[in-house]
Amino acid sequence: MDERLAQIIEASQLHDVERHIEGVRRAAEMQAFNQWGFAAYCTLFVLGAFLLVAWSLWPKRRTLTLRGWRDEDDVGSGTGARGGVAGETASAWRLKRVAPGFVGGVLLAILCAMSQQLSIDRNRGFIEDQQRRMNADLRRAMDRARQEYLREHPPTGERWNPELEREVKAAEDAARDNIVQSHYLYIPKGNSLRYLSLGNSSIAADYLWITSLQYVTSPFQQGHKFDFLHRFYAEILELDPHWVDIYVNMGKVLSALDPDRYRTERFLDQCITRNPGDFHLPMEAGRLFVVPTVRRKLNQEYSLKASEYFEQASKRLNLPATDLAVLEDLIGRLKREAGMHGAAAEQLWKIVNDHDVPKNLRENSSREWLQAESLVRADLFQQLVNGYKARRGKLPQDLTMALMDFLGQPNARGPAWLKEGLSGAKPLDAYGLPLLYDATTGEVASHGVRALNSTRASRVIDSLIASVYSEPGREFPRNMAELTQHIHRAFPTVDRAPLPVVEALGEDLNAEKSPLGGPWNYDPATGKITLPPECNPRELFRNADMTLDGRVPAYFKGAAGGQ
Amino acid sequence: MSVLIIALNTFREAVRDKILYVLTLFALLLILISRAVGWVSYGGELKITTDMGLLAIWLFGAFVAIFIGTGMIYKEIDKRTLYTILSKPIDRWQFVVGKYAGLLLTIYVNLALLSLILFGYLWLMGAPIGISILQAVALTFCEMMVVTAIAIFFSSASTPVLSAIFTTTLFAMGQLTKWMVDLGAIVRSSSPWVGKVMHGFYLLMPNLHNFNVRQEAVNAAGTAGALAIPASQMMNAMVYGIAYTAALLLAAILLFRRRNF
């Protein structure tokens, strides 16, 4: 091997070697102690047991009585009150004396055996043995993987660098996975258990479930559990396909242990297929994807999946009626997050107009509906702008121009509200605010949605400012640029930032620009942001309250899911 | 009338057998320990408790039938008490049927007791006791009817040890006869006659899995009014049990009549 390469490999192994030597030294010390301790321990017990048994079985003994020393046999010669049953008394007396000795000896011997068993288990027990063999295989495989990787990708520098170390570690992990898989104890196949249990596959499933719990909690290879968990769970599914409660718990366990959400989803899909009438499993599958991530695109995909699963759950017959409205509201929100604004608006509008639903839920749904409907309108006008640009090669000056151009087309089709009463007036979103249009970029957005986002973002920024202020000796940030620098120092990458911060500031974590488009109205003296009047929640949700009272604004007519 | 007398006498004799109490104690322990097994589980505790309870009832019935039933007739022959009985105006078939009825009565009384204890235990634990659980217990009773008949059949023809071996083997095979059908389907493509022979064996063997609805019962227990299997299928299984029992008893009587003591 190349000498330079060998030196680098040796350097990478050095820290492992030092740790290994220390471990070997300690093990040697314990082993020496164990050997001598074992010998002394064993000797004491054997000696004690031998003495007890010997005392018990000693053939003749002299007993001191009032008439002097007597041999044991003299008791049976008929003297004294016991004369009539002398023979029985003697043997009974001997039995009474012998029995404790025997019992004591037996106990000592058993204690000795049990204590030695514990010692054996520490050095040669099943788990210890298995762990030792696997560690040896792991070390060999990982060393081999490290050498092969470095041979194929020789490092360019002289020094061992962290990037290379990460790549080598990835190669080692891949080798490690194969070894771990081959070393776990035998997991019986579903059919074999079915036969072994004489057709009681329900009990066999119970056994496998408890075994899988032991597998998760055992110290053997802790932290790398999910590979075999999937095998366990697949076998349980084969044995007892209708044990829904446990499959819900399995989903929870897998979601906690397995970083691959999609693999857990595939398992839950199999459970759902076997139990098409139950709502618990699609609910659990939906919950897998409800928790958002910091990646907006991934969030959209997750929200879509979650909404699909929750929709499945909502159609199951055994879903309690009280949960249906809550679930439908959640589906509406998820569809909005997934970008399905029209479907979300329709879903939420149904809840708003369902007077059997509790009022607080209708209130929440109406506010969500405003957001969804506003996005529907913004999307529609975006299409009109794009259509205008496609036909005329330039962007319209305003949205009315795009609308007129669209309405002038021979086969123009659109919602009723598009054609009624909007000529001469600015198109409004569901909040009653004019849609925002940037004539230079052609982007259409809902003013109301941006105002709502500004309200939420301002709360996050206030808490960030408070965190800056809480540091000793620090004043309020002088401006938003300084706050942005502080945020970038605290969270160098977007992965490290909390989700509310990413949602408020965007993936670039820029606090300088507000969602409404301009800079924040920030006062460095007080450290507070002042929001424009349209961000006032009472004004913002006025239309939501009107719809609840049955007073629908005129421009809602023909809205998605509206009248 | 003679059958009834022999049955009652057999019942009295069987309840004095120590092994019955050992087995009953074992079954009770299994039912009570089932809760402890549920404690180590994350979820599904009540299902595990119900599973183990039903298993205890099933196993207990089978063990009683095997351990007591296989030596029943042979004991009479060995102790020469059979001559006293047969010297009376009693037909041999009455003796066999009486013995069977007595043993079955013993098993049923004990199973009923265990079932009541199980239901009480489940009720205390808060586990659902639906009609499906009753179905499972009823079909277990049917299964014991067949297993007892198997034990009496072998007992009338052989020594207790051999009878126990044959009965246990047939009991185990009866749970796994579906495997024969699967195996037959696999080999049919290469050897059709083997597949047919296996299917023939499957039809001749006592298919005790017909009475095993414990899994369906436990899964359906949570839904009020849900049956483990439809009533028509349950009727089929019971009629199958009665028919097979009758066949075994007739065969036992035939063997017993030809024996010289």
Side-chain angles (χ1 to χ4, degrees):
Chain A
M1 193 194 299
D2 184 17
E3 196 180 309
R4 183 173 64 85
L5 187 59
Q7 282 173 354
I8 290 173
I9 292 172
E10 194 184 323
S12 76
Q13 291 171 334
L14 191 61
H15 68 284
D16 281 339
V17 167
E18 282 174 357
R19 218 167 39 193
H20 180 64
I21 289 171
E22 181 63 24
V24 166
R25 187 180 60 78
R26 280 197 202 154
E29 281 173 4
M30 284 304 294
Q31 199 174 3
F33 174 75
N34 279 344
Q35 275 177 341
W36 287 111
F38 167 83
Y41 186 62
C42 208
T43 307
L44 270 176
F45 268 107
V46 169
L47 197 60
F50 175 74
L51 284 173
L52 264 177
V53 173
W55 175 77
S56 307
L57 290 177
W58 200 255
K60 227 181 236 195
R61 273 200 336 157
R62 297 178 71 82
T63 310
L64 183 61
T65 65
L66 289 174
R67 293 183 188 189
W69 285 102
R70 283 185 186 277
D71 286 334
E72 210 172 72
D73 289 341
D74 289 345
V75 176
S77 64
T79 56
R82 296 181 189 167
V85 287
E88 289 174 15
T89 306
S91 62
W93 185 60
R94 180 176 293 185
L95 192 63
K96 276 189 205 165
R97 223 170 33 81
V98 163
F102 266 113
V103 169
V106 166
L107 277 176
L108 270 178
I110 288 175
L111 278 171
C112 176
M114 282 167 64
S115 63
Q116 292 317 305
Q117 180 62 59
L118 293 174
S119 174
I120 289 168
D121 283 340
R122 272 197 296 275
N123 296 316
R124 279 189 55 231
F126 182 74
I127 294 285
E128 275 304 315
D129 210 25
Q130 197 176 22
Q131 190 83 47
R132 196 179 306 123
R133 277 189 281 120
M134 199 175 78
N135 284 347
D137 284 349
L138 273 175
R139 179 168 287 280
R140 270 196 298 273
M142 286 162 76
D143 284 347
R144 204 178 314 127
R146 185 192 296 130
Q147 287 178 15
E148 277 175 14
Y149 185 85
L150 287 173
R151 199 175 291 119
E152 285 167 18
H153 305 87
T156 49
E158 290 292 330
R159 295 170 61 83
W160 182 255
N161 63 72
E163 263 185 43
L164 182 60
E165 188 173 350
R166 268 197 294 274
E167 287 164 9
V168 168
K169 191 167 183 324
E172 286 177 352
D173 283 346
R176 179 182 186 281
D177 289 349
N178 289 333
I179 297 295
V180 170
Q181 288 218 9
S182 65
H183 264 267
Y184 196 67
L185 53 84
Y186 171 70
I187 302 170
K189 291 287 285 177
N191 273 344
S192 68
L193 269 183
R194 202 190 301 269
Y195 299 136
L196 281 171
S197 62
L198 297 181
N200 290 292
S201 41
S202 189
I203 282 284
D206 296 345
Y207 161 74
L208 268 189
W209 169 241
I210 292 176
T211 307
S212 74
L213 292 175
Q214 286 182 317
Y215 167 64
V216 169
T217 54
S218 82
F220 179 68
Q221 283 302 312
Q222 216 163 21
H224 195 84
K225 299 282 184 175
F226 34 87
D227 291 330
F228 292 109
L229 264 186
H230 280 280
R231 278 183 59 188
F232 269 116
Y233 293 168
E235 300 297 346
I236 296 171
L237 186 60
E238 283 303 313
L239 287 168
D240 195 350
H242 302 298
W243 195 3
V244 172
D245 292 342
I246 282 308
Y247 299 132
V248 170
N249 289 346
M250 284 177 191
K252 292 187 170 78
V253 172
L254 286 175
S255 64
L257 291 179
D258 192 347
D260 186 350
R261 237 181 261 216
Y262 298 107
R263 190 154 60 160
T264 307
E265 182 200 1
R266 282 195 293 276
F267 170 74
L268 286 171
D269 276 340
Q270 288 177 39
C271 300
I272 291 168
T273 308
R274 311 260 176 132
N275 298 277
D278 198 274
F279 78 95
H280 293 97
L281 291 166
M283 284 287 284
E284 186 59 32
R287 281 192 206 110
L288 268 182
F289 296 102
V290 160
V291 178
T293 71
V294 295
R295 303 282 180 200
R296 282 203 181 142
K297 279 198 176 162
L298 203 55
N299 277 348
Q300 275 198 329
E301 184 192 331
Y302 279 13
S303 297
L304 181 63
K305 277 188 176 290
S307 69
E308 284 168 356
Y309 280 117
F310 286 140
E311 256 189 318
Q312 277 187 44
S314 70
K315 292 184 178 119
R316 297 292 198 259
L317 291 174
N318 64 342
L319 177 71
T322 47
D323 294 348
L324 185 58
V326 175
L327 193 58
E328 286 182 338
D329 176 71
L330 181 58
I331 292 167
R333 288 164 195 255
L334 288 166
K335 281 183 177 173
R336 180 183 55 73
E337 286 171 15
M340 299 164 59
H341 303 138
E346 209 172 307
Q347 179 96 25
L348 292 162
W349 185 251
K350 266 196 287 192
I351 299 171
V352 170
N353 288 290
D354 184 354
H355 293 272
D356 293 333
V357 171
K359 192 176 177 201
N360 56 346
L361 185 60
R362 287 176 61 221
E363 251 176 42
N364 287 339
S365 298
S366 67
R367 292 176 183 201
E368 285 291 326
W369 178 84
L370 279 189
Q371 201 174 351
E373 177 62 17
S374 300
L375 289 169
V376 166
R377 293 177 180 223
D379 290 344
L380 186 58
F381 274 92
Q382 185 69 64
Q383 287 175 26
L384 298 186
V385 165
N386 294 343
Y388 182 97
K389 187 179 176 188
R391 284 187 293 274
R392 293 178 186 256
K394 60 178 181 179
L395 289 168
Q397 285 178 357
D398 54 39
L399 292 178
T400 308
M401 190 179 281
L403 176 61
M404 290 301 131
D405 179 68
F406 169 75
L407 291 175
Q409 300 300 311
N411 297 320
R413 277 186 296 177
W417 58 264
L418 204 58
K419 294 180 185 174
E420 284 177 2
L422 288 174
S423 56
K426 279 190 176 177
L428 303 175
D429 61 16
Y431 293 92
L433 298 168
L435 287 170
L436 296 172
Y437 173 63
D438 185 346
T440 51
T441 60
E443 189 191 347
V444 181
S446 159
H447 196 146
V449 170
R450 286 197 172 176
L452 189 65
N453 290 343
S454 297
T455 311
R456 290 172 183 160
S458 71
R459 285 192 212 120
V460 171
I461 290 173
D462 283 342
S463 66
L464 286 170
I465 292 172
S467 72
V468 172
Y469 178 66
S470 70
E471 288 177 17
R474 292 293 297 265
E475 300 285 335
F476 289 125
R478 283 170 298 186
N479 48 42
M480 286 289 118
E482 186 180 322
L483 178 66
T484 304
Q485 282 173 15
H486 172 82
I487 291 168
H488 287 162
R489 271 198 305 274
F491 311 117
T493 59
V494 70
D495 295 330
R496 295 195 184 184
L499 183 61
V501 172
V502 177
E503 282 182 345
L505 305 180
E507 288 189 15
D508 57 355
L509 300 178
N510 184 2
E512 292 184 62
K513 218 169 142 191
S514 92
L516 278 168
W520 292 102
N521 186 357
Y522 170 66
D523 181 5
T526 58
K528 296 282 179 205
I529 288 175
T530 305
L531 291 168
E534 62 264 31
C535 295
N536 184 336
R538 197 170 290 175
E539 286 302 311
L540 205 54
F541 296 121
R542 185 188 56 225
N543 284 349
D545 298 334
M546 280 175 70
T547 56
L548 284 176
D549 294 339
R551 298 174 289 129
V552 177
Y555 57 89
F556 275 19
K557 289 184 185 177
Q563 296 179 2
Chain B
M1 192 63 187
S2 312
V3 170
L4 188 62
I5 293 166
I6 294 172
L8 286 173
N9 198 51
T10 306
F11 174 74
R12 274 190 228 111
E13 189 187 329
V15 296
R16 286 190 200 121
D17 200 333
K18 287 193 186 71
I19 201 160
L20 190 70
Y21 300 110
V22 170
L23 289 173
T24 309
L25 185 67
F26 161 76
L28 268 175
L29 274 175
L30 197 57
I31 291 174
L32 296 172
I33 286 168
S34 62
R35 188 72 184 110
V37 175
W39 281 334
V40 302
S41 172
Y42 166 52
E45 298 92 345
L46 297 177
K47 189 246 184 196
I48 292 174
T49 304
T50 313
D51 269 339
M52 287 185 73
L54 290 174
L55 180 78
I57 292 174
W58 172 72
L59 266 182
F60 166 79
F63 284 157
V64 168
I66 291 168
F67 287 127
I68 298 182
T70 51
M72 190 150 270
I73 293 179
Y74 184 83
K75 215 163 38 174
E76 298 274 358
I77 299 170
D78 193 47
K79 287 185 183 170
R80 311 278 193 267
T81 50
L82 183 66
Y83 305 137
T84 319
I85 297 168
L86 292 183
S87 64
K88 303 280 187 285
I90 291 175
D91 284 334
R92 291 195 179 194
W93 71 265
Q94 288 174 320
F95 177 76
V96 172
V97 173
K99 280 289 179 191
Y100 170 78
L103 181 59
L104 195 66
L105 182 63
T106 311
I107 293 172
Y108 276 8
V109 164
N110 279 283
L111 283 189
L113 182 68
L114 280 176
S115 303
L116 282 172
I117 292 171
L118 175 65
F119 293 154
Y121 196 58
L122 290 178
W123 178 73
L124 277 173
M125 294 299 122
I129 308 174
I131 194 167
S132 57
I133 303 283
L134 296 173
Q135 253 189 323
V137 172
L139 285 174
T140 303
F141 277 43
C142 273
E143 187 177 350
M144 292 309 117
M145 192 168 65
V146 178
V147 175
T148 309
I150 295 171
I152 293 289
F153 169 75
F154 285 118
S155 173
S156 62
S158 182
T159 58
V161 172
L162 281 177
S163 302
I165 292 170
F166 294 148
T167 309
T168 309
T169 308
L170 211 56
F171 171 71
M173 285 172 71
Q175 310 295 334
L176 305 173
T177 47
K178 269 199 260 190
W179 168 75
M180 271 194 225
V181 178
D182 294 339
L183 192 61
I186 291 168
V187 302
R188 196 166 288 160
S189 53
S190 55
S191 181
W193 67 270
V194 171
K196 285 181 185 165
V197 165
M198 298 208 75
H199 195 75
F201 262 127
Y202 167 73
L203 292 172
L204 276 175
M205 292 273 288
N207 296 320
L208 299 176
H209 64 81
N210 291 339
F211 308 104
N212 183 357
V213 298
R214 288 181 283 280
Q215 181 176 340
E216 293 87 340
V218 170
N219 284 325
T223 312
L227 291 175
I229 55 171
S232 56
Q233 287 183 25
M234 187 169 168
M235 199 53 62
N236 285 345
M238 288 172 112
V239 169
Y240 175 82
I242 292 168
Y244 213 95
T245 302
L248 283 168
L249 283 179
L250 285 170
I253 292 166
L254 192 65
L255 282 172
F256 194 65
R257 280 167 68 124
R258 295 177 65 151
R259 281 191 77 164
N260 292 320
F261 304 107

